[in-house]
């Protein structure tokens, strides 16, 4: 057998014979690739988020505002201080979206390279959701409260007890892990099944499936984040009424967001590879 490392055609995993340093180099290359996916995933996430910010602002208001719930009422509330109100809090959101999207793509890439088959894709997808959600959760709570309560400044939110920024974490894990896991698993599957389709379509279809399956859980977690403490165990939180408020608007938003994010991620990574190859 020749010296060095070889790639198994059956497993796709590298095997070493008599030259362990080559295996180390291969592992370092994998990590570098995962870092590349993480960075460009963050950039793609921020770009896609800025494009879709108005949809998210209106959707959050429809999910959490008191009756009457209507798109026109949400629009008036969001634009009360001008059209730029649709992007209120977007800077804070992007401060959260960059590490969130970066952790998703980086974790998925890192674990996917070390596993194989559908089970490996499931593990990578769920891990990406759990790591990204956990490490950026307080930023998500702050941005939701800024969007729902525009009269409250960020300094006031930051002065609140740190524990309050973890309210609804368990519910968020219940909602986000299956949603993000389904999205990444679906995207990976569609890349193989409809390889000729652009990443925007592959990611959009995966997100559409995930949103139809898990949207009610997203509504419950948003209520958990913004309702006062005295309502946390009340019917207002757990009521099944209105679980699909904002569903159509959210569908447009998440399909556009994730479709754009996957498209830009592929575009940025390919451009990076071309520049590095020169």
């Amino acid at each position: 057998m020749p010296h060095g490392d070889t790639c198994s055609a059956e497993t796709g995993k590298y095997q070493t014979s008599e030259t362990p340093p080559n295996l180390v180099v291969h592992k370092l290359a994998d990590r570098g690739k995962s870092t590349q996916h993480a960075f460009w995933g963050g950039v793609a996430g921020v770009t896609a988020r800025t494009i879709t910010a108005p949809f998210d602002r209106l959707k959050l208001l429809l999910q959490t505002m008191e009756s009457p719930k209507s798109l026109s009422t949400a629009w008036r509330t969001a634009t009360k201080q001008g059209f730029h109100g649709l992007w209120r809090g977007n800077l804070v959101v992007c401060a959260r979206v960059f590490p969130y999207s970066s952790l998703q793509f980086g974790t998925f890439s890192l674990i996917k390279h070390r596993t194989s088959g559908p089970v490996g894709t499931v593990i990578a997808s769920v891990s990406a959701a759990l790591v990204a959600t956990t490490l950026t959760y307080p930023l998500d709570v702050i941005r939701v409260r800024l969007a729902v309560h525009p009269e409250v400044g960020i300094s006031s939110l930051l002065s609140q007890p740190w524990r309050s920024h973890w309210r609804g974490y368990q519910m968020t894990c219940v909602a986000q892990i299956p949603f993000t896991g389904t999205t990444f698993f679906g995207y990976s599957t569609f890349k193989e099944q409809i390889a000729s389709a652009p990443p925007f379509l592959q990611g959009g279809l995966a997100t559409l499936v995930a949103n139809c399956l898990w949207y009610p859980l997203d509504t419950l977690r948003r209520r958990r984040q913004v309702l006062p403490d005295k309502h946390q165990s009340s019917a207002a939180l757990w009521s099944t009424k209105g679980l699909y408020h904002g569903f159509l608007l959210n569908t447009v938003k998440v399909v556009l967001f994730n479709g754009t994010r996957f498209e830009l991620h592929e575009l940025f990574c390919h451009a990076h590879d071309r520049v590095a190859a020169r």
Side-chain angles (χ1 to χ4, degrees):
M1 181 180 291
H3 292 285
D5 55 335
T6 59
C7 184
S8 166
E10 293 181 358
T11 64
K13 295 182 181 299
Y14 278 78
Q15 302 169 337
T16 185
S17 53
E18 300 178 16
T19 317
N22 287 349
L23 182 60
V24 174
V25 171
H26 174 69
K27 288 182 177 179
L28 289 175
D30 269 357
R31 291 178 183 175
K33 200 71 174 177
S34 296
T35 301
Q36 175 187 325
H37 281 291
F39 176 76
W40 292 118
V43 174
V46 168
T47 306
R49 163 63 209 191
T50 301
I51 294 172
T52 60
F55 294 100
D56 192 55
R57 176 93 163 94
L58 294 172
K59 185 263 297 188
L60 282 175
L61 290 172
L62 285 172
Q63 284 181 317
T64 58
M65 69 191 301
E66 297 180 358
S67 298
K69 296 176 183 286
S70 69
L71 184 58
S72 60
T73 303
W75 176 271
R76 287 195 298 271
T77 302
T79 58
K80 185 182 300 183
Q81 298 175 336
F83 188 72
H84 65 277
L86 292 170
W87 278 269
R88 177 179 171 80
N90 189 57
L91 186 60
V92 174
V93 175
C94 288
R96 179 252 179 186
V97 166
F98 183 86
Y100 181 77
S101 187
S102 178
L103 286 165
Q104 279 187 341
F105 279 98
T107 303
F108 181 82
S109 174
L110 188 65
I111 296 178
K112 189 72 169 64
H113 286 163
R114 286 160 172 73
T115 57
S116 61
V119 174
T121 303
V122 170
I123 294 174
S125 301
V126 171
S127 298
L130 181 59
V131 170
T133 298
T134 300
L135 295 183
T136 62
Y137 186 72
L139 290 173
D140 185 44
V141 173
I142 290 173
R143 73 100 178 177
V144 170
R145 291 175 182 172
L146 279 175
V148 176
H149 303 294
E151 71 281 358
V152 178
I154 188 170
S155 59
S156 176
L157 289 175
L158 292 176
S159 65
Q160 294 177 358
W162 191 246
R163 184 179 178 183
S164 70
H165 298 315
W166 286 92
R167 177 189 296 164
Y169 169 72
Q170 294 87 347
M171 178 63 73
T172 296
C173 285
V174 170
Q176 282 297 98
I177 290 176
F179 175 80
T180 304
T182 302
T183 299
F184 271 79
F185 179 81
Y187 176 63
S188 182
T189 301
F190 288 138
K191 282 185 72 175
E192 298 176 1
Q193 300 298 323
I194 47 174
S196 60
F200 180 89
L201 180 58
Q202 296 164 345
L205 285 174
T207 304
L208 179 62
V209 173
N211 190 57
C212 290
L213 289 174
W214 308 114
Y215 184 77
L217 293 178
D218 185 63
T219 299
L220 289 176
R221 75 159 175 134
R222 292 308 185 194
R223 290 176 184 173
R224 183 78 172 86
Q225 288 176 335
V226 302
L227 285 176
D229 290 333
K230 62 182 180 179
H231 294 314
Q232 287 298 313
S233 300
S234 69
L237 174 64
W238 297 105
S239 172
T240 57
K241 183 179 180 180
L243 286 180
Y244 276 91
H245 274 307
F247 172 76
L248 292 178
L249 188 65
N250 186 68
T251 299
V252 174
K253 177 256 177 181
V254 294
V255 168
L256 180 60
F257 170 75
N258 277 320
T260 302
R261 189 168 63 132
F262 284 119
E263 182 73 44
L264 291 176
H265 173 259
E266 293 289 335
L267 179 66
F268 293 152
C269 285
H270 288 327
H272 180 100
D273 289 340
R274 287 196 296 270
V275 171
R278 291 179 180 176

